[in-house]
Amino acid sequence: MRQKAYAQAMRVIACALMVWQVWMMWYIASHEAAGVQWACDGTGGCASDQLASMSPMLGVAFAVALGVLCARYLHRAAPGAMIALSAVAAAAGWYDALAEGQVERSTVTSFHIFLPLGDFSVSQWLTFLWSVAGVGCLAAWWGAAVSLRRTAGLRRLSRRYTTADAVLEGWRPVGRRYGEVTVVFDDGAGVRHEVPAVVERIALRRDVLAVYDADRPGDPALTRVAVPHRKLLRIS
């Protein structure tokens, strides 16, 4: 138990450090964008040895790493959260650059992420970044809703309900993604129950849990099938 708590603490610390790295890379990318000196050759290729020129690419790499690392906590909300975090950090860099007088809203600058994204004014970049942040937030909310429904997250937090390893038997399609099955599980007293339920097709290929009312374990109206989140990265 102590080892597990230690592993969880280390994971949380790692996530916090990665959040800082993602924030700093995107912040530097915009805050220092106007001062980047590009050396271009005759073929149209441009390069720079300044950190700000590489910050967007590093920001993308760190955001992907952070998404994998914190997927255990954010589940399907992770991609949207990474997009929103990156966009807000870049916007913060522009606002600080404006406050420090490095640029004006009409100043035209360029962004390079693997390839040049184009030359636009600071105002246009800010509009773009806040739009991306909004899309990221919507994606995160949608991902969170899907994960909570699929894992029965809110129900599992209630003391009224408990969980048990379950097996799904039978499959009668109900639409393209759902089907009727029989959920077979043993309650806390060792009594076996067979409860009808409707589940997503993905549940057939995963280990599942029966989330049931401890006082009425055989009630179909109070029994749900939870598909636990698959661990992408395990620290133990």
Side-chain angles (χ1 to χ4, degrees), residues 25-34 52 55 89-95 97 111 129:
M25 288 301 99
W26 285 107
Y27 179 90
I28 292 172
S30 56
H31 186 266
E32 307 297 329
S55 290
W94 283 123
Y95 282 121
F111 243 32
L129 289 170

Side-chain angles (χ1 to χ4, degrees), residues 173-189:
V174 179
R176 296 180 59 185
R177 295 174 52 194
Y178 295 88
E180 294 181 347
V181 297
T182 299
V183 186
V184 182
F185 64 94
D186 296 335
D187 64 19

Side-chain angles (χ1 to χ4, degrees), residues 111-178:
F111 243 32
H112 287 65
I113 305 179
F114 304 111
L115 296 172
L117 297 184
D119 297 326
F120 300 98
S121 68
V122 173
S123 292
Q124 290 172 318
W125 281 120
L126 285 171
T127 299
F128 170 75
L129 289 170
W130 283 119
S131 298
V132 171
V135 171
C137 287
L138 289 175
W141 279 110
W142 177 83
V146 171
S147 291
L148 285 174
R149 175 178 55 80
R150 182 171 290 176
T151 61
L154 296 179
R155 184 177 291 252
R156 291 166 67 180
L157 291 176
S158 173
R159 293 184 178 181
R160 176 183 177 183
Y161 295 93
T162 187
T163 62
D165 292 334
V167 175
L168 304 181
E169 296 182 350
W171 172 264
R172 189 172 71 84
V174 179
R176 296 180 59 185
R177 295 174 52 194
Y178 295 88

Side-chain angles (χ1 to χ4, degrees), residues 15 77 226 231 236:
C15 287
K231 297 178 182 178
S236 58

Side-chain angles (χ1 to χ4, degrees), residues 48-118:
S48 174
D49 59 359
Q50 293 174 263
L51 176 60
S53 67
M54 299 179 289
S55 290
M57 290 182 288
L58 293 174
V60 171
F62 289 152
V64 171
L66 176 60
V68 173
L69 190 63
C70 68
R72 181 171 185 175
Y73 308 115
L74 298 181
H75 296 224
R76 288 177 174 268
M82 296 308 102
I83 292 173
L85 172 65
S86 301
V88 172
W94 283 123
Y95 282 121
D96 282 355
L98 286 168
E100 295 166 8
Q102 296 185 35
V103 293
E104 298 180 353
R105 287 186 173 271
S106 59
T107 301
V108 176
T109 61
S110 61
F111 243 32
H112 287 65
I113 305 179
F114 304 111
L115 296 172
L117 297 184

